[in-house]
Amino acid sequence: MSDQLTTFFYPNNELVKNSAVQGMSAYNDLCEHAKNDYEGFWAKLATELLTWQKPFTQTLCSKEAPFYKWFSDGEINISFNCLDRHLQNKGDKTAILFEADDGTSTSISYKDLYSQVCKFANGLKTLDLQLGDRVIIYMPMGIEAVIAMQACARLGLIHSVVFGGFSAKSLIERIHDASARVVITSDGQFRGGKKMPLKSAVDEALKDNLCSVVEKVIVFKRTNEEVTWNPSREIWWHELIENQSDICDPVWINAEHPLFLLYTSGSTGKPKGVQHSSAGYLLHAMNTMRWTFDVKDSDVFWCTADVGWITGHTYVAYGPLAMGATQVIFEGIPTYPDASRFWKIIEKYKVSIFYTAPTAIRSLIKLGPNLPREHNLSSLRILGSVGEPINPETWMWFYTEVGGSRCPIVDTFWQTETGGHVITPLPGVTPLLPGSCTLPFPGMQMSVVDETGQEVDWGTGGLLVITKPWPSMIRNIWNDPQRFKQSYFPEDLGGKLYLAGDGAIRDKETGYFTIMGRIDDVLNVSGHRMGTMEIESALVANSLVAEAAVVGKPHEIKGEAIVAYVVLKTKRPEGDDAKELVNKLREWVGKEIGPIAKPDEIRFGDNLPKTRSGKIMRRLLRSLAKGESITADISTLENPAILDQLK
């Protein structure tokens, strides 16, 4: 590693002076406050940042741990906090600058966004929905996706956004699990210059009464494509809001009322419905906007994540709006019409805070390492990285070529389950080290422990845990409290530590955290979690497949590539037959889960490497996937000859 990659990059005096958290001593003071008066620390923030209808008197309730409650006797409305309270002073301020796939720009002020949300909420009211009913949102990136989420929040409906790249099968699983009464979708979406269907996946999910719980489907007209229509169940978005008032009183709800469910891949095949609260979640979304991104009134914030992921919830649909910021929302992909698209958007809208994933950065380096220099990126003030660890070389390119060696990079570590950042540099505080997410966000109590829950020495790798509850934490897995406890508060660690599911190491000198990757069978593909079991189940669902095992291997762009080992019910194919079958099975997985889950490689074997007790030896498969020679002990292997077949 070059010296440059092990050098610290310190915040300059100007940056420190103007930041929300000014210098390391201010950071240490916040951490000390949290350590000495944990509840008081969070109560102060919740009083400072949130607007309450009924103030809370109880900060943290641990009676039913690990089912913690925060601010639980307070009443709030999330949409009110994102919109209504800005109307007086920021009504005319631009809330969203929308860049369509074809480059068309649309802007909407806070006042107009409020009106649109109210109209849509009033439209939803006509469908006889009750407080706490679930609504599936399956939409393209755009202002309407945010309107749909905010309208649900306004009425106390629980939304579950499904990423527009997921298949009908993924929709069915989520509709069933959430017992959703309404689906909000679009006739289609634009991506990379192509029209792509969306409603057809909803049609497939609802055919033959597969999801009979769904009573209404609201369809936004985006592409003007012909769609099949069921007039008893379906209604156009524009007809739903026609003649609706642009005023809608917010429904004041308990602080602990679920705001949304977001399904994430687990190490078993069934997706987990991560349940988030209202007040605690929004508090952390706002505070991380304030301290991690140092957001100012004059900033133009751009998070490139889709609202189908947690990043798009916290740093598109809720955090920027609650802070009264102006943000960019982009419909398209970074490489269309060419690899300059991101840099053109930054130049066009004078983006000052840019938050994206290492996968996107790596693909843009590959397609045009010098392209940022052809654009005026002087508006940039802060850069951010999210979704997976960023390797030091990519960090350096991002820092020098995009940020002009003047913008701090906040390399944020967090998860769907944490709701917002838990380890991250702060712009005016942290000496930056390429490849390290550095120190805990103030108030977050992080540690690295061994398999028994004991803290390990700094410099020793172990399991990353959060040692105290925090306001934006996952509250439950929808309909599965047992799985919640087993997944996140395992008895092996004493039942009180939140297990992040990642390995980590703390530097001996600095205490900086470096994330070492997943400890379970979950892959990180382009910053998105994919359960190996989920892909295996999809493969085995094909009538030709007898058995499958899926592992990850390093990939220079995506972080991890998906490698599938498949045993067929017929003899092992070779040559063109094998190639043809690989394509068939890839398409099959794409249909079952979504294109993101398609294996990069499929290798066929007469069997899989198993112990005599029948357990698949995945560590050997990981070594084979990487092209490593097998040096591990294989004496327990029932069928060692199979390894040559699977190379």
Side-chain angles (χ1 to χ4, degrees):
M1 194 181 278
S2 73
D3 288 346
Q4 203 177 19
L5 302 184
T6 54
T7 302
F8 288 95
F9 294 81
Y10 291 85
N12 62 54
N13 292 338
E14 190 68 16
L15 189 66
V16 174
K17 194 171 75 184
N18 294 312
S19 290
V21 182
Q22 298 176 354
M24 192 55 82
S25 62
Y27 168 82
N28 289 332
D29 287 349
L30 288 168
C31 295
E32 200 62 24
H33 179 188
K35 190 177 164 189
N36 296 332
D37 178 14
Y38 195 64
E39 287 190 34
F41 173 84
W42 290 112
K44 180 175 181 288
L45 289 174
T47 307
E48 203 176 283
L49 289 171
L50 297 172
T51 303
W52 297 86
Q53 171 73 355
K54 180 187 167 203
F56 62 92
T57 61
Q58 185 178 33
T59 303
L60 171 63
C61 174
S62 308
K63 276 183 201 160
E64 294 170 39
F67 301 95
Y68 296 100
K69 291 178 179 167
W70 285 87
F71 323 118
S72 56
D73 60 347
E75 287 181 5
I76 196 165
N77 182 276
I78 299 308
S79 175
F80 180 93
N81 273 268
C82 293
L83 300 170
D84 307 47
R85 64 174 178 173
H86 302 314
L87 294 179
Q88 196 172 345
N89 297 324
K90 294 184 179 179
D92 292 326
K93 183 179 178 178
T94 300
I96 296 170
L97 295 156
F98 173 61
E99 167 100 349
D101 187 64
D102 67 0
T104 310
S105 292
T106 312
S107 75
I108 187 167
S109 67
Y110 272 93
K111 188 168 63 189
D112 290 342
L113 184 60
Y114 163 84
S115 297
Q116 291 291 327
V117 168
C118 286
K119 277 187 175 181
F120 192 68
N122 284 325
L124 287 174
K125 279 186 188 175
T126 65
L127 306 182
D128 193 32
L129 293 162
Q130 308 303 308
L131 185 73
D133 277 346
R134 275 77 60 205
V135 174
I136 295 281
I137 298 174
Y138 185 60
M139 299 257 319
M141 269 303 276
I143 296 170
E144 286 74 23
V146 173
I147 289 170
M149 293 165 82
Q150 285 283 344
C152 288
R154 196 162 194 84
L155 301 178
L157 303 170
I158 303 168
H159 64 67
S160 185
V161 183
V162 180
F163 173 55
F166 279 162
S167 65
K169 185 171 178 286
S170 298
L171 262 177
I172 292 168
E173 288 171 342
R174 288 153 175 78
I175 290 168
H176 269 304
D177 194 70
S179 299
R181 289 181 62 194
V182 171
V183 176
I184 304 171
T185 189
S186 167
D187 53 357
Q189 57 185 339
F190 292 102
R191 271 183 85 76
K194 298 183 187 122
K195 280 185 189 179
M196 301 173 81
L198 261 188
K199 183 177 178 290
S200 54
V202 177
D203 295 339
E204 195 178 330
L206 302 188
K207 73 179 182 193
D208 307 326
N209 278 336
L210 285 173
C211 293
S212 53
V213 62
V214 173
E215 296 164 18
K216 289 288 177 192
V217 178
I218 301 163
V219 187
F220 177 68
K221 201 181 271 261
R222 174 74 186 109
T223 59
N224 289 314
E225 287 293 276
E226 289 268 326
V227 289
T228 56
W229 201 256
N230 176 347
S232 66
R233 187 177 64 206
E234 289 159 4
I235 180 167
W236 286 110
W237 176 299
H238 60 270
E239 287 176 5
L240 183 75
I241 64 171
E242 209 170 15
N243 303 321
Q244 294 294 346
S245 163
D246 62 359
I247 294 170
C248 172
D249 290 336
V251 175
W252 299 100
I253 52 168
N254 182 277
E256 278 295 311
H257 182 82
L259 177 62
F260 62 85
L261 310 176
L262 189 54
Y263 285 83
T264 179
S265 289
S267 49
T268 66
K270 187 183 173 210
K272 297 182 286 196
V274 171
Q275 178 184 323
H276 272 291
S277 74
S278 293
Y281 168 79
L282 192 68
L283 171 65
H284 204 57
M286 292 179 71
N287 203 33
T288 48
M289 284 292 303
R290 177 171 73 158
W291 288 351
T292 308
F293 294 121
D294 191 42
V295 71
K296 312 260 189 252
D297 216 37
S298 54
D299 276 314
V300 177
F301 178 82
W302 181 23
C303 166
T304 64
D306 189 283
V307 288
W309 309 105
I310 187 66
T311 307
H313 281 55
T314 308
Y315 300 109
V316 177
Y318 291 111
L321 295 177
M323 293 301 286
T326 295
Q327 67 170 318
V328 171
I329 291 181
F330 174 45
E331 178 180 40
I333 56 173
T335 52
Y336 175 80
D338 55 54
S340 295
R341 188 67 186 273
F342 272 11
W343 321 131
K344 285 173 180 165
I345 290 174
I346 291 169
E347 183 173 32
K348 180 175 175 181
Y349 299 107
K350 297 187 169 49
V351 171
S352 52
I353 306 170
F354 177 53
Y355 192 36
T356 195
T359 298
I361 303 165
R362 287 193 293 264
S363 66
L364 292 170
I365 294 174
K366 200 165 183 179
L367 291 165
N370 299 318
L371 285 175
R373 296 183 182 185
E374 295 173 17
H375 299 273
N376 181 357
L377 307 182
S378 61
S379 58
L380 286 171
R381 193 169 74 78
I382 288 165
L383 302 174
S385 167
V386 61
E388 59 190 302
I390 182 168
N391 53 301
E393 291 77 9
T394 305
W395 192 103
M396 279 307 308
W397 182 86
F398 198 30
Y399 182 76
T400 54
E401 297 300 314
V402 179
S405 302
R406 66 177 192 283
C407 303
I409 297 176
V410 289
D411 173 6
T412 61
F413 171 79
W414 60 296
Q415 302 170 311
T416 304
E417 295 87 346
T418 68
H421 309 148
V422 293
I423 307 175
T424 177
L426 303 185
V429 170
T430 321
L432 304 172
L433 184 66
S436 170
C437 50
T438 69
L439 295 170
F441 187 83
M444 297 304 307
Q445 312 291 314
M446 314 291 301
S447 185
V448 180
V449 300
D450 61 19
E451 280 77 6
T452 65
Q454 297 303 304
E455 189 169 12
V456 300
D457 294 336
W458 288 13
T460 307
L463 309 175
L464 182 67
V465 295
I466 305 177
T467 60
K468 281 189 171 179
W470 67 103
S472 67
M473 67 189 293
I474 176 175
R475 293 302 196 264
N476 208 340
I477 291 173
W478 187 256
N479 284 334
D480 205 342
Q482 207 45 46
R483 191 178 178 195
F484 166 75
K485 284 202 289 195
Q486 285 165 353
S487 301
Y488 302 112
F489 293 91
E491 283 303 325
D492 296 358
L493 301 184
K496 296 251 174 90
L497 299 175
Y498 168 88
L499 179 65
D502 285 279
I505 188 165
R506 289 195 86 167
D507 186 85
K508 271 183 182 171
E509 272 80 50
T510 60
Y512 279 15
F513 287 83
T514 299
I515 306 300
M516 312 298 283
R518 300 292 300 171
I519 57 174
D520 56 14
D521 290 324
V522 175
L523 309 176
N524 195 327
V525 181
S526 300
H528 305 311
R529 278 165 48 175
M530 298 298 312
T532 54
M533 182 71 80
E534 200 175 352
I535 304 166
E536 288 168 9
S537 302
L539 283 162
V540 173
N542 187 292
S543 60
L544 299 170
V545 175
E547 203 172 13
V550 169
V551 298
K553 74 169 189 180
H555 187 282
E556 62 171 338
I557 304 292
K558 297 193 290 189
E560 268 191 294
I562 302 170
V563 182
Y565 295 91
V566 170
V567 179
L568 299 174
K569 292 173 182 174
T570 55
K571 68 177 184 95
R572 182 163 65 96
E574 292 180 354
D576 288 346
D577 290 347
K579 282 180 190 165
E580 192 181 331
L581 194 51
V582 164
N583 290 333
K584 268 188 188 166
L585 290 175
R586 289 187 75 244
E587 290 308 310
W588 171 270
V589 172
K591 196 165 180 328
E592 287 282 293
I593 302 172
I596 197 167
K598 286 180 182 177
D600 298 82
E601 283 179 51
I602 296 179
R603 303 181 190 182
F604 298 106
D606 294 329
N607 208 325
L608 295 172
K610 291 177 182 173
T611 62
R612 290 182 181 85
S613 62
K615 191 176 177 198
I616 298 170
M617 293 187 73
R618 290 171 189 276
R619 62 185 169 88
L620 296 181
L621 293 176
R622 287 190 196 100
S623 296
L624 288 173
K626 291 175 193 170
E628 297 169 349
S629 52
I630 304 290
T631 54
D633 178 23
I634 55 171
S635 58
T636 58
L637 201 58
E638 185 187 30
N639 48 355
I642 209 74
L643 296 175
D644 286 332
Q645 247 183 38
L646 297 169
K647 280 181 179 170

